[in-house]
Amino acid sequence: MKTQSTDASQDKFLAVTPKRLASRRLVWMALFTAMTLFCMTSFYPLGKPVDDCTELGFASAYGWVLAQSISLTIPFLLSAMACSQIMPRLSMILGTTIFVLLVVVTLCDIIVFGWIGERFLSVTMQRILTALFPQLRLYVTVSSLIQASVVASSVIVLFALIWFLAGFAAKRWARSPDAVSPLTGVIVLVGLTFAVSFPALRHRERTVAEMRSHSTRHPFCAFHLVGYRGTGIRVNDGSEAVPSRLLGLQLLESVQVIDKRLEALSVDVDAWQQVRKEETPPDIVIIVSESIRHEVIQPSVMPEMSKLVETSSHYRQHFSAGNSTVMGFFGLFTGLESMWFDRPVAKDPPLCRLFRQAGYQLGFFAGDTNWDVFRMGDYIQPDHFDAFEVAEATTLQSDYFAIEQSTKFLNDPNRKSDSPRLAIIYLNGTHCPYKSEPEDQVFQPAAKPSDALPFNPAKVPEIRNRYFNSVRTLDRIIAPLFDRDRVIVFIGDHGESFLEDGCAIHGLRISEYQNMTPMVMHLPHRKPKVVDVRSYHTDILPTLLGYLGIPVDDIEAMDGVDLNAVNDDFLKQRKVSVSNYLDLTSGLTGPWTDSPESPFAFRFMLSFESWQLEMLSAVDSKGYEWTTSNEGEFSGEAKRMEEPVREWLLERFNHDPFEEVLAEQEAFERFGRADSYEIRLAMLRIAESLANPPEYVYDVVAELAGDPDERVRSKAFDMIVRWNRTRE
């Protein structure tokens, strides 16, 4: 009877109750999740193998990755196990959800970082998914959707398998009288983690530097437990940005003065007529092609363009106004740096206005139609042109259409003999996924369209070949436009990156690969030359006006210069900003850009929409924060960047806001009583970002609720009503 009683008690103890099963199942789930994280970060085909990214030995290198993988699961495992003693079913749901999220976030981080060089859990990615996705969704392809579906399905299948295996193992564990307790299992995992971590932690500084340089191999980096080498300081937002926005607002009066100068830009028609009596000005053809890298101007890739270069000026250190089509076109159309994008000049671009005044007929021809989607509708619109022909960017047929229509415009048999024409042609075939015709596919092996984005380093040669093939098609189809009696300008709207700077496309960071693009300028009867000093899209308009001899009043209001009227020393010493599409920052280039021992650019924020002026960080030619060594020590150049930016501010605006940094109360009160309604309205928008405005801000806004300007008055009144409701 005693034996039977003991057996019954033991059976009761070993009964698979929900509490008993849940804690054991969670341990197995955590272990399988850790192994999944380890396998993803160690063997995802992106970059060097783990043991090649460190001075640690083979076993220690992989042990350190395993230790990180286990460490990420332990806190959540302990929390779920504690919950399992009270609510076992809920603990299973919460634990499983967290483990799934750990895997999903890590996988997404690996993919995203390999594409844009930024973390999945970052302000950058948040901006892409919120502010930019409505624009970028145009480039979502069927292939990318299929890839995303495959990844999502794989994760679902994986966790279904983990759930089944963990349940099976947990039941056997729960029924075993000799098995250790779940808490003991956790202690063993923690001990294992410390053991395999020891070699890495012995050289902590070196290990952290190695993790920063190869962050996709380390799960800690995906969750920002260890930093990574990125672009540097991020732009402040919300209430944190108020000081920098008040600082930038000090520039508004200077900006308004330049606005008026730009509005008054005009051709001296009488003087121009005297010039035109001698001979009819030549036609102008400006060809803008998507994503053109500077090395494509070579006979093997662009044979027809290489022939044109023999009679042209080839600018080999040329910068677009930004790393996006938006700013590339803006610099071309206005002769201005990108910070002027939100000012009135965008609605009346000088290129169109001045050449129309000079008697040119203007035509715009493009294999794209998404101007309004990307906020280019102000300066790319039919009202600015005599001919405006565009086609949806679907296949190469849209590029053929643009070339055909521009050819008709330039060769119109009914045109007057003294009526010169300017044609701007935008071709989209060289945009990812890089379209080409079969006869131009000479670079092999070339990637398939489905391999375009995102891709790993092993695919780069094939991606590059596909890109070169698309450029060969471009070269062949634009060759008929190369009439040597015309002015011909060939540029890219921006560059393109093939992972050299950690990115797999453009518009993501200020770098040599994304912001630089070639420029070929054929000027009839001018000697050819190769120029290896910095030039910019902003220089194209002043250079064309100078070559043609079109007299323009106050042409110095533009940021660009006539490249034929200045010497190389001037070009080497000047400072010009270029922009980054993703975070709306700018990079100041200058003499330092030409030296590999100095930063490539100084990142800063200057927006005439939010009126934010903020120093950020120096970056190298790949867009990474400037460091003095591979160990990640930041250079003093990053701290001294303020001086060149302040010099540039003085050159552009004749004002340096850093000379008089106002206290917040003084700034709000001064701007709230400014004569210009625009300053008062901008101040209100800055005040609106304050979650809990201090009393002096409330008083200034309340005073503006009686402002004579209806726009200011209405804005202030709405803010006071909203704040009063919050206070109640």
Side-chain angles (χ1 to χ4, degrees):
M1 293 295 294
K2 186 176 180 180
T3 303
Q4 291 178 352
S5 176
T6 303
D7 291 343
S9 176
Q10 190 176 54
D11 289 342
K12 183 178 179 181
F13 177 77
L14 295 177
V16 185
T17 64
K19 289 183 181 180
R20 189 177 179 85
L21 182 62
S23 58
R24 287 158 175 77
R25 192 168 199 164
L26 285 167
V27 172
W28 280 108
M29 290 281 291
L31 181 59
F32 287 141
T33 299
M35 293 306 299
T36 301
L37 296 177
F38 169 76
C39 291
M40 284 195 309
T41 50
S42 296
F43 304 114
Y44 188 89
L46 183 71
K48 297 179 180 179
V50 174
D51 52 303
D52 284 350
C53 302
T54 178
E55 293 184 23
L56 294 170
F58 182 89
S60 297
Y62 285 95
W64 174 230
V65 177
L66 177 62
Q68 296 173 60
S69 303
I70 298 174
S71 298
L72 286 174
T73 65
I74 293 296
F76 302 111
L77 171 60
L78 291 174
S79 300
M81 286 176 62
C83 180
S84 70
Q85 301 306 306
I86 305 171
M87 296 175 288
R89 296 187 185 278
L90 179 61
S91 70
M92 287 300 302
I93 295 173
L94 291 177
T96 303
T97 301
I98 292 172
F99 295 146
V100 169
L101 288 176
L102 284 174
V103 170
V104 169
V105 169
T106 304
L107 178 59
C108 289
D109 183 79
I110 293 171
I111 295 172
V112 168
F113 197 85
W115 189 354
I116 67 173
E118 293 284 349
R119 303 261 76 104
F120 177 69
L121 298 178
S122 65
V123 175
T124 299
M125 196 62 193
Q126 180 184 356
R127 172 172 167 74
I128 291 175
L129 294 175
T130 55
L132 300 182
F133 185 74
Q135 302 164 8
L136 301 179
R137 75 181 191 280
L138 298 170
Y139 298 106
V140 175
T141 64
V142 173
S143 175
S144 61
L145 290 175
I146 292 174
Q147 291 181 25
S149 299
V150 170
V151 171
S153 300
S154 300
V155 171
I156 293 172
V157 171
L158 173 66
F159 266 90
L161 180 62
I162 288 176
W163 177 268
F164 172 78
L165 292 176
F168 176 77
K171 288 178 181 178
R172 292 180 63 87
W173 185 2
R175 290 175 178 146
S176 174
D178 301 322
V180 298
S181 68
L183 184 58
T184 303
V186 174
I187 293 173
V188 170
L189 284 177
V190 172
L192 174 65
T193 301
F194 278 112
V196 297
S197 299
F198 183 72
L201 296 178
R202 282 182 60 196
H203 307 282
R204 189 179 62 84
E205 292 185 3
R206 187 189 72 190
T207 298
V208 169
E210 291 169 346
M211 292 172 71
R212 283 169 54 86
S213 299
H214 304 280
S215 60
T216 53
R217 293 303 186 197
H218 299 279
F220 277 0
C221 294
F223 297 91
H224 299 272
L225 298 178
V226 171
Y228 64 99
R229 192 181 175 200
T231 58
I233 302 170
R234 71 174 182 86
V235 179
N236 282 316
D237 56 9
S239 58
E240 293 181 357
V242 168
S244 58
R245 294 181 68 182
L246 291 172
L247 182 68
L249 194 54
Q250 294 184 52
L251 285 172
L252 201 152
E253 290 183 344
S254 299
V255 168
Q256 289 173 329
V257 170
I258 300 175
D259 280 341
K260 293 178 180 178
R261 292 177 62 191
L262 293 171
E263 183 182 2
L265 270 178
S266 61
V267 173
D268 184 338
V269 178
D270 291 337
W272 173 235
Q273 290 300 331
Q274 294 299 317
V275 175
R276 286 197 59 178
K277 286 180 179 178
E278 299 178 8
E279 61 178 322
T280 301
D283 288 344
I284 303 173
V285 178
I286 301 176
I287 303 169
V288 184
S289 186
E290 257 291 339
S291 310
I292 295 297
R293 290 169 61 101
H294 60 85
E295 77 267 23
V296 300
I297 309 294
Q298 53 178 299
S300 62
V301 182
M302 298 190 77
E304 298 299 328
M305 182 61 64
S306 297
K307 295 175 185 175
L308 181 66
V309 165
E310 295 174 0
T311 59
S312 308
S313 297
H314 182 194
Y315 294 86
R316 301 196 299 190
Q317 297 294 322
H318 186 78
F319 286 76
S320 173
N323 56 14
S324 66
T325 307
V326 181
M327 294 309 175
F329 266 118
F330 181 80
L332 170 66
F333 273 73
T334 63
L336 298 170
E337 292 163 283
S338 57
M339 66 271 186
W340 294 97
F341 181 77
D342 296 299
R343 300 306 295 173
V345 68
K347 297 182 179 180
D348 186 18
L351 182 145
C352 299
R353 184 201 323 162
L354 298 176
F355 275 101
R356 190 180 294 280
Q357 291 175 359
Y360 271 80
Q361 288 188 286
L362 309 179
F364 184 83
F365 311 93
D368 207 338
T369 59
N370 296 314
W371 319 119
D372 290 329
V373 174
F374 289 93
R375 297 182 62 196
M376 293 185 280
D378 282 344
Y379 47 95
I380 300 180
Q381 58 166 284
D383 291 346
H384 295 321
F385 299 93
D386 300 288
F388 190 86
E389 301 288 347
V390 298
E392 289 284 348
T394 52
T395 66
L396 281 170
Q397 294 306 312
S398 57
D399 284 358
Y400 286 124
F401 170 83
I403 293 172
E404 178 185 3
Q405 296 302 313
S406 63
T407 301
K408 289 180 180 178
F409 173 75
L410 292 165
N411 298 333
D412 184 359
N414 298 319
R415 64 184 286 189
K416 296 180 180 179
S417 59
D418 62 345
S419 177
R421 300 198 168 191
L422 185 154
I424 299 175
I425 306 161
Y426 172 57
L427 304 174
N428 201 48
T430 47
H431 192 287
C432 183
Y434 318 128
K435 305 162 190 144
S436 61
E437 297 285 20
E439 61 265 38
D440 301 308
Q441 294 171 5
V442 299
F443 292 94
Q444 296 296 332
K448 301 175 182 178
S450 58
D451 295 332
L453 287 175
F455 53 83
N456 60 60
K459 277 286 183 183
V460 168
E462 294 181 17
I463 295 291
R464 194 189 305 271
N465 284 344
R466 180 173 176 83
Y467 172 77
F468 284 162
N469 290 337
S470 74
V471 176
R472 278 188 70 91
T473 293
L474 166 74
D475 181 69
R476 179 174 54 80
I477 65 179
I478 63 176
L481 296 169
F482 294 168
D483 184 333
R484 295 328 194 251
D485 292 329
R486 297 168 176 162
V487 171
I488 303 169
V489 179
F490 174 78
I491 54 174
D493 53 350
H494 48 74
E496 187 81 330
S497 174
F498 296 138
L499 296 181
E500 295 96 340
D501 56 6
C503 303
I505 196 168
H506 56 265
L508 301 170
R509 63 178 53 187
I510 295 166
S511 75
E512 170 188 346
Y513 306 96
Q514 298 183 41
N515 288 83
M516 295 183 69
T517 186
M519 180 173 75
V520 174
M521 183 177 288
H522 172 77
L523 303 176
H525 313 302
R526 288 288 180 93
K527 291 183 179 180
K529 60 181 178 179
V530 175
V531 182
D532 284 324
V533 291
R534 283 171 288 109
S535 58
Y536 299 82
H537 273 21
T538 54
D539 300 325
I540 294 172
L541 176 55
T543 302
L544 292 178
L545 294 170
Y547 166 74
L548 296 168
I550 299 176
V552 176
D553 296 328
D554 198 17
I555 195 171
E556 293 80 11
M558 288 188 280
D559 296 326
V561 299
D562 178 354
L563 294 170
N564 294 318
V566 294
N567 58 36
D568 285 358
D569 288 338
F570 173 86
L571 296 177
K572 289 177 182 177
Q573 294 303 314
R574 68 172 174 160
K575 308 174 189 69
V576 180
S577 70
V578 296
S579 74
N580 180 39
Y581 178 70
L582 188 60
D583 59 7
L584 306 179
T585 56
S586 295
L588 188 66
T589 61
W592 51 86
T593 303
D594 305 325
S595 170
E597 285 77 34
S598 298
F600 178 75
F602 294 111
R603 286 177 63 243
F604 66 99
M605 178 68 176
L606 178 56
S607 167
F608 293 162
E609 182 177 34
S610 63
W611 294 104
Q612 187 166 356
L613 174 60
E614 190 173 358
M615 302 292 187
L616 298 175
S617 49
V619 293
D620 62 18
S621 62
K622 295 182 179 181
Y624 291 108
E625 188 168 9
W626 178 258
T627 60
T628 55
S629 67
N630 292 331
E631 281 68 42
E633 297 176 7
F634 293 104
S635 167
E637 295 286 354
K639 299 177 182 177
R640 294 198 298 271
M641 66 171 290
E642 187 173 307
E643 181 179 347
V645 175
R646 291 180 64 175
E647 291 175 354
W648 173 81
L649 287 169
L650 277 172
E651 292 172 5
R652 288 292 183 268
F653 307 104
N654 198 31
H655 179 59
D656 175 11
F658 291 96
E659 285 185 348
E660 182 188 13
V661 180
L662 303 175
E664 282 194 27
Q665 181 171 350
E666 182 184 359
F668 275 114
E669 291 174 350
R670 178 186 295 189
F671 296 139
R673 298 183 177 93
D675 293 334
S676 168
Y677 89 88
E678 187 180 3
I679 295 178
R680 301 195 301 274
L681 189 60
M683 186 280 297
L684 287 174
R685 289 172 178 150
I686 295 172
E688 193 174 24
S689 65
L690 291 168
N692 297 299
E695 197 63 33
Y696 64 81
V697 173
Y698 184 91
D699 292 341
V700 171
V701 175
E703 184 179 334
L704 291 176
D707 195 89
D709 186 275
E710 192 277 333
R711 291 160 291 191
V712 176
R713 184 170 63 250
S714 175
K715 183 71 173 176
F717 181 79
D718 289 344
M719 290 171 63
I720 290 296
V721 170
R722 188 163 59 253
W723 285 348
N724 284 340
R725 288 174 180 169
T726 303
R727 290 184 174 188
E728 292 173 359

